[in-house]
Amino acid sequence: SIEKLLRDDFEQYIAAAPAYVDYYKKQGMTDTQAIDAAMAASKHVVFSARKYTYTKPLISVGHTLEGAVGETFSTTGTTIEFDVAVTPAIPFAYRNITSKGAVRNIRFIQKSWLCELNGGRIDRKLSLTDCDFSYFNGYGFVLESVDTEPRGCYASSLVNLTCDYNAKHGLVFGGSANAVTVVNPVCRWNGSPAYGVQPSVADVWD
């Protein structure tokens, strides 16, 4: 019926409409709860130009996560700081696990090195632009299997990706990263001996 078609169109429109994280942060809610609520409401999640604290791994199921500005090398804009005290079973701060996902204009950092946590890993196709994965007590960003789980990064693209001050390699990619486009990556001061400390031997981990 016409009524059903209109209702279906409206429901699809609502599902595709952006969800603004700060709209979902009601009184007494944490950033983690607000982000989870926004991701449950829409596949397109929009962040403000501020720092958010997230207390567990951020798992995307084909979401578009959009920050406020495109200043990759700036301290302003959207930052998601991971305050994780116990190493997760799959120790990555961010993963896209189903469908095609996207991330734009977001800086991902670890708050401290209380546990071993890697920055990001592509499990399914991802389009990433103007993002930063730095200060992690592990790898910055991974496109290769560093554990027993298979990857599916085929046809992903990484544009203006920065990985600085990570304890291990900034950017890791190899056999499972077929047909991946990497444009203008910047990896500096990785192999950091302590949080935010520049290594004494340059380029070993970059």
Side-chain angles (χ1 to χ4, degrees):
S1 68
I2 296 297
E3 182 180 345
K4 183 179 184 304
L5 288 173
L6 290 173
R7 184 172 64 250
D8 289 347
D9 285 345
F10 179 73
E11 289 175 353
Q12 290 177 5
Y13 169 78
I14 293 299
Y20 292 84
V21 174
D22 287 2
Y23 171 81
Y24 285 87
K25 191 171 183 182
K26 309 302 182 184
Q27 187 174 5
M29 289 181 68
T30 65
D31 285 341
T32 300
Q33 292 169 328
I35 292 170
D36 287 349
M39 291 180 70
S42 175
K43 292 289 186 173
H44 185 184
V45 178
V46 180
F47 296 81
S48 298
R50 69 174 182 87
K51 181 186 287 184
Y52 295 82
T53 299
Y54 203 72
T55 57
K56 60 183 181 178
L58 179 56
I59 309 300
S60 166
V61 288
H63 288 83
T64 292
L65 305 180
E66 184 175 349
V69 295
E71 295 288 338
T72 305
F73 308 110
S74 173
T75 56
T76 62
T78 300
T79 296
I80 300 178
E81 183 179 64
F82 290 85
D83 187 8
V84 181
V86 178
T87 302
I90 302 176
F92 286 84
Y94 167 81
R95 290 186 297 139
N96 180 61
I97 63 171
T98 62
S99 306
K100 179 182 178 180
V103 185
R104 298 190 289 265
N105 310 331
I106 299 178
R107 187 173 193 236
F108 298 85
I109 63 173
Q110 189 173 359
K111 183 175 182 179
S112 67
W113 282 6
L114 292 176
C115 72
E116 185 172 344
L117 187 67
N118 305 291
R121 184 177 81 181
I122 301 178
D123 289 13
R124 293 294 181 269
K125 185 178 178 181
L126 179 69
S127 174
L128 185 147
T129 307
D130 293 326
C131 289
D132 187 332
F133 287 82
S134 297
Y135 298 94
F136 286 96
N137 190 11
Y139 302 104
F141 201 86
V142 175
L143 292 90
E144 171 63 296
S145 295
V146 293
D147 53 32
T148 58
E149 292 190 22
R151 304 281 70 76
C153 349
Y154 189 83
S156 293
S157 65
L158 310 176
V159 180
N160 298 337
L161 169 65
T162 299
C163 299
D164 294 339
Y165 288 108
N166 297 293
K168 297 180 181 178
H169 296 293
L171 176 60
V172 181
F173 59 103
S176 64
N178 296 323
V180 172
T181 301
V182 181
V183 180
N184 192 35
V186 177
C187 299
R188 303 167 295 192
W189 310 302
N190 294 293
S192 183
Y195 190 89
V197 177
Q198 186 171 331
S200 57
V201 180
D203 300 325
V204 172
W205 293 88
D206 289 330

